[in-house]
Amino acid sequence: MKNLVNILIGLFLILSTTLTAQNLEFADLLQNINSRQNTSLNGKWDIIVDPLENGYYNHRLLPKDNGYFKNAKMTSPSDLIEYNFDISFQLDVPGDWNTQMDKLYYYEGTVWYKKDFTYHANSDKLAFLYFEAVNYEAIVYLNGERIGSHVGGYTPFQFEVTNKLKEGDNFVVVKVDNKRKKENVPTVNQDWWNYGGITRSVHLITTPKSYIKDYSIQLPKGNTTTIDGWVQVENSKDGDAVTINIPELKKSVNSILKNGIAKFSVKAKPVLWSPYSPKLYEVIIKTPTDKLTDHIGFRTVATDGSKILLNNKPIFLKGISIHEEAPFKTGRVTSKEECKILLKWAKELGCNFIRLAHYPHSETMVREAEKMGFMIWSEIPVYWTVQFDNKDTYANAQNQLTEMISRDKNRAAILLWSMANETPEGEARLSFIADLAKQARKLDNTRLITAALDTQGKGNDGNLIEDPLGTIVDVIGINNYCGWYAGAPETCPDIKWASKYNKPMIMSEVGGGALYGLHGNKNERWTEEYQADVYKKNIEMMRNIKFLAGLSPWILMDFRSSRRPLRRIQDDFNRKGLISEQGMKKQAFYILKDYYNNENN
Ligand code: GCU
C-alpha cells in the first residue's frame, strides 16, 4: 500500500512539474494588460536621429559612458555634451517615424526616444514597463541604466522595473533600430513599408507583489461541455487558492496553487462563439491579493478531410487579407478607431474571416475583430527568403511565435496560427517550419496550423498542391495570382486544382491591382475594370476547387510598399486593395461582396 501511495505522489509531482514546465514555455508577459492598473506613456517623446550609431557607446569599454541613454545635462557652461533631448525634435508614440517626419520617410537606422514620467513608489506593488511593439530592435534604458532589449517588430515585451524606479521623476530611453538585416525575421526583402519606431502603446503597469501573471481558459480540443485551463500566479505560496468565476454560467471554481500554477476543469455548456454569435463571457480570476477580468469566447475548431469545422460544423471562411496600414492618415495603425474602420469595411464586404498579414497585429485589433465575430488567421513574419539554416534566425522566429501565442491564446476568434508566407521549398525551410509548428502545437493544441504557399498558375495544365509543407500544416494556404502575375484573367476559370493532401485549402491570396478612379476596358492593366475582371474570373475558378475551405483575397486596402514605385499609379503603394487608402471602394469590392453575400457555402 505504502508503495502505491509513493507512486501516486510521484505521479502527481510529475504532473504538476510538467504543468509548471509547460507554462514556463510561454513568453514572460503579463496576460490581459487592459485589466491592469496602467499608466500610459503614450504621447510626445523627445527623439534624436542617429544614423551613425553615435549615441550608443559600448559602456563596458568606456570609462565614462556618456551615450544618449544617460540623458546627460551640462553642469557647467564649459561642459561639452553634443546632444540634448530637451530641445530636440519629438515624435508621437505610438506611431511610425516614416509618416510623422518627411526627413524620416525612407529612414532605416537608429532613432533614440526619451520620455520623462513621474512615479510614486508603493511598497506593496511591482512595476513593469510594457511595450506593445517596437519595430524592429529595441534597447531600453531606465534612468540611464540598461534594463533589456527585444528583437521583432510586432509582438509585446516587458521588463520588471520595481527596484529601478525612483520616487518622483524618472526617464526612459529607447534605442529603436529598424535596419533590415539578412538574418532578421522578416529578412531584407518584404512587400510592405519598413515602418520604424515605437509603433504601438507603452504602459507602466503595477501589480500586487503576488500577481496573476498568465492564464489559459478554454474548451479542451473537441469538447464543448467542459471549460478547463490553468492560472499562473507569481510570488504565490503553495496551497493559496485561486477562484475562476464565470457569473453568466453560474460557475465558480476553486483551485489550489502548486509551484505557482493552479489547474482547473469545470462542466459547463456555454453558448459557443461563432461569427453568427460572437458570444464572450466575463471571466473573473481572483487570488488572495489580485483580481483580473477578461472576456473570453468558447468554441472548438478542427478539420475533417477538406472541411474546417467550427463547433463541429463545416464553415466556409469568407475572408480578406489586411495589413496594419492606417486608413486615411496611412502609416502604422495606432488607434482602436482605425482598427474599427478596417473591420467595418471587412464587415461591409460580407466577411466572416480576416487574415492579419504578415505579422501579429495589435491586441486591440484582435479583440475588436473577436467582438465583431471575425475568425482570424494570425501570422509571424517568416516571409520569403529568411535564413532557414541560421539557428539565431530560427530562435528569433520561435520567439516571435511564442510571444504571439502567449499574448492571444485566450482569443477564441483566432482559429489559425500561420508559420510562414511564400517560403521557397528546401530541406532547411521544411525543418525550420516543422520545428515552428511543433512549438506552436506544444503551446496550443487547440488551434489549426497553417502557412501560405506560393503557387503560381501554370496555365491550363492546372495546379497540383504537392509542397511537402502540406504534410506539416493542418490547413494549406495558397497564394495564387492567376490573371495578374501568371496568365490572362480569361485563363483562370479553366485551371483545374488538385492536392496530394486530404486537407482544407484556403486561397490565402488572390487578386490584382487597380488605381481607384482609373477606368478603361478590362484588358487595360491598372484600371478598376481589369481588377474587377480578375476577381470575376478567379471566383469562377475557385468555385471548382472542391477542397477549398475559404479565401482571403489580397487585400482589403492599398498599402505602402517600397517595391511599388510606378509613378502616378502606385506612388509607393501596392494597389491590390479593394479600397484605396483614402477609403474609396473600387469595382472589385462589389464583385467579391456579391460572391460572399450570394455564395451558399
Ligand atoms: C505576395 C505576398 C504579398 C505581396 C503580394 C503582392 O503573395 O505574399 O505580401 O504583397 O504577393 O505581390 O502584391
Side-chain angles (χ1 to χ4, degrees):
M1 184 55 183
K2 193 159 173 287
N3 278 346
L4 179 61
V5 170
N6 288 338
I7 290 167
L8 287 173
I9 290 169
L11 274 176
F12 173 77
L13 285 176
I14 289 168
L15 175 67
S16 57
T17 315
T18 311
L19 193 68
T20 311
Q22 183 221 352
N23 292 311
L24 293 182
E25 288 272 331
F26 285 104
D28 181 21
L29 282 173
L30 289 165
Q31 176 67 204
N32 183 15
I33 58 161
N34 301 349
S35 180
R36 281 284 171 207
Q37 222 177 355
N38 186 328
T39 306
S40 171
L41 296 184
N42 289 349
K44 294 288 182 198
W45 286 49
D46 304 315
I47 62 136
I48 295 172
V49 183
D50 183 11
L52 298 181
E53 301 293 342
N54 189 43
Y56 181 47
Y57 292 110
N58 180 330
H59 47 280
R60 277 185 288 280
L61 301 180
L62 289 171
K64 177 184 174 303
D65 53 43
N66 57 357
Y68 294 167
F69 49 86
K70 300 304 274 184
N71 186 27
K73 298 285 176 257
M74 287 172 71
T75 50
S76 89
S78 62
D79 278 0
L80 172 61
I81 299 177
E82 294 184 73
Y83 71 93
N84 183 341
F85 276 110
D86 299 343
I87 54 171
S88 191
F89 298 103
Q90 293 191 317
L91 286 174
D92 286 327
V93 168
D96 64 274
W97 61 59
N98 313 74
T99 57
Q100 288 194 59
M101 211 178 262
D102 289 351
K103 65 184 179 182
L104 297 179
Y105 182 65
Y106 290 106
Y107 182 64
E108 295 184 302
T110 286
V111 172
W112 294 84
Y113 285 74
K114 193 265 291 180
K115 182 77 175 176
D116 296 322
F117 65 94
T118 305
Y119 178 71
H120 296 301
N122 174 335
S123 57
D124 300 332
K125 297 275 187 191
L126 299 179
F128 298 82
L129 263 180
Y130 185 102
F131 295 80
E132 292 193 31
V134 175
N135 188 43
Y136 173 83
E137 179 181 11
I139 304 177
V140 182
Y141 303 82
L142 181 59
N143 299 323
E145 181 194 345
R146 179 182 172 128
I147 58 171
S149 61
H150 182 266
V151 164
Y154 306 96
T155 47
F157 56 98
Q158 68 181 45
F159 305 105
E160 205 249 284
V161 293
T162 314
N163 302 324
K164 297 180 172 26
L165 288 164
K166 293 178 189 163
E167 174 55 34
D169 295 342
N170 293 266
F171 69 92
V172 55
V173 170
V174 185
K175 178 186 184 292
V176 180
D177 181 356
N178 76 331
K179 281 194 288 295
R180 288 166 297 111
K181 294 173 187 157
K182 287 194 306 301
E183 65 274 18
N184 283 1
V185 178
T187 182
V188 289
N189 195 7
Q190 62 196 47
D191 190 21
W192 69 89
W193 204 267
N194 181 29
Y195 289 123
I198 303 179
T199 47
R200 295 184 193 151
S201 295
V202 184
H203 310 268
L204 183 64
I205 294 172
T206 56
T207 70
K209 279 262 167 56
S210 172
Y211 65 95
I212 301 161
K213 175 177 183 181
D214 198 4
Y215 52 85
S216 171
I217 300 175
Q218 54 189 309
L219 300 174
K221 197 158 181 69
N223 180 331
T224 57
T225 58
T226 305
I227 292 175
D228 74 8
W230 49 266
V231 177
Q232 181 179 2
V233 179
E234 290 293 275
N235 309 324
S236 58
K237 295 192 302 303
D238 285 0
D240 277 357
V242 175
T243 308
I244 299 92
N245 188 4
I246 310 176
E248 206 179 327
L249 291 177
K250 298 183 176 47
K251 295 292 176 186
S252 182
V253 193
N254 290 320
S255 181
I256 297 298
L257 283 160
K258 171 100 186 119
N259 298 325
I261 301 284
K263 265 193 82 180
F264 71 93
S265 179
V266 61
K267 284 290 170 212
K269 292 201 77 174
V271 170
L272 300 179
W273 184 94
S274 77
Y276 323 105
S277 158
K279 175 70 182 166
L280 299 177
Y281 284 91
E282 184 185 59
V283 179
I284 303 152
I285 305 167
K286 267 191 204 159
T287 70
T289 58
D290 199 7
K291 174 183 170 188
L292 276 186
T293 302
D294 204 342
H295 294 85
I296 295 180
F298 299 102
R299 52 93 189 102
T300 66
V301 59
T303 62
D304 177 12
S306 63
K307 298 290 180 202
I308 291 175
L309 306 182
L310 179 69
N311 303 325
N312 296 322
K313 294 195 195 72
I315 187 164
F316 189 76
L317 276 57
K318 300 178 179 178
I320 193 69
S321 292
I322 299 178
H323 254 304
E324 202 179 28
E325 183 85 46
F328 308 115
K329 83 168 168 44
T330 75
R332 274 280 164 264
V333 168
T334 53
S335 70
K336 183 185 286 190
E337 292 65 37
E338 288 164 340
C339 294
K340 292 169 93 166
I341 289 169
L342 294 170
L343 294 168
K344 182 171 75 69
W345 288 342
K347 199 55 100 176
E348 283 175 32
L349 193 51
C351 298
N352 62 11
F353 169 57
I354 52 176
R355 177 188 178 201
L356 297 183
H358 282 296
Y359 36 75
H361 288 216
S362 68
E363 182 169 357
T364 302
M365 182 63 162
V366 170
R367 283 181 178 269
E368 289 306 313
E370 181 172 65
K371 284 185 220 167
M372 292 173 70
F374 288 102
M375 297 176 281
I376 296 174
W377 160 316
S378 191
E379 181 165 299
I380 53 170
V382 175
Y383 181 92
W384 289 354
T385 54
V386 299
Q387 288 191 332
F388 296 111
D389 50 6
N390 180 330
K391 62 176 179 35
D392 295 335
T393 301
Y394 177 76
N396 180 347
Q398 178 171 295
N399 184 57
Q400 293 188 45
L401 173 73
T402 302
E403 290 172 341
M404 172 175 75
I405 295 177
S406 301
R407 188 193 75 182
D408 292 341
K409 57 186 173 292
N410 291 302
R411 307 279 70 80
I414 296 180
L415 305 191
L416 298 136
W417 299 122
S418 170
M419 303 297 106
N421 180 74
E422 293 192 356
T423 51
E425 287 191 35
E427 272 315 302
R429 165 261 202 175
L430 191 59
S431 57
F432 188 101
I433 295 174
D435 289 348
L436 287 175
K438 203 160 75 184
Q439 170 72 1
R441 291 189 174 110
K442 189 168 20 167
L443 294 174
D444 169 21
N445 72 350
T446 67
R447 290 178 175 86
L448 303 175
I449 303 298
T450 190
L453 310 180
D454 182 4
T455 313
Q456 292 317 319
K458 301 182 186 70
N460 290 337
D461 63 358
N463 285 316
L464 170 64
I465 299 171
E466 52 188 351
D467 186 318
L469 214 45
T471 61
I472 290 159
V473 297
D474 301 309
V475 174
I476 298 169
I478 294 288
N479 295 353
N480 181 272
Y481 284 91
C482 176
W484 186 260
Y485 288 127
E490 55 268 22
T491 66
C492 304
D494 297 334
I495 291 181
K496 301 290 172 275
W497 285 80
S499 175
K500 272 181 64 179
Y501 308 103
N502 180 25
K503 294 184 177 179
M505 164 192 162
I506 288 177
M507 189 67 89
S508 36
E509 289 183 33
V510 59
L515 176 66
Y516 171 76
L518 182 63
H519 293 286
N521 63 43
K522 65 181 182 181
N523 68 347
E524 285 178 276
R525 190 79 72 157
W526 302 113
T527 60
E528 287 193 42
E529 288 75 10
Y530 187 102
Q531 183 189 40
D533 193 43
V534 167
Y535 270 80
K536 277 181 197 143
K537 298 298 190 301
N538 277 281
I539 287 170
E540 282 180 52
M541 173 182 77
M542 288 186 280
R543 282 208 175 88
N544 300 324
I545 306 176
K546 296 293 167 260
F547 48 89
L548 186 72
L551 61 155
S552 49
W554 195 260
I555 188 170
L556 179 68
M557 187 186 85
D558 292 348
F559 62 95
R560 192 171 269 118
S561 165
S562 325
R563 294 168 50 91
R564 309 294 174 176
L566 179 57
R567 187 90 179 81
R568 296 198 186 90
I569 299 283
Q570 295 175 321
D571 294 321
D572 287 344
F573 279 85
N574 182 313
R575 294 290 178 202
K576 295 188 184 68
L578 293 172
I579 303 174
S580 77
E581 74 281 4
Q582 294 311 319
M584 306 309 284
K585 296 182 177 75
K586 306 171 192 176
Q587 285 179 12
F589 177 93
Y590 301 98
I591 303 293
L592 186 63
K593 177 176 179 166
D594 182 57
Y595 170 59
Y596 283 164
N597 291 346
N598 301 310
E599 198 60 21
N600 50 3
N601 276 295

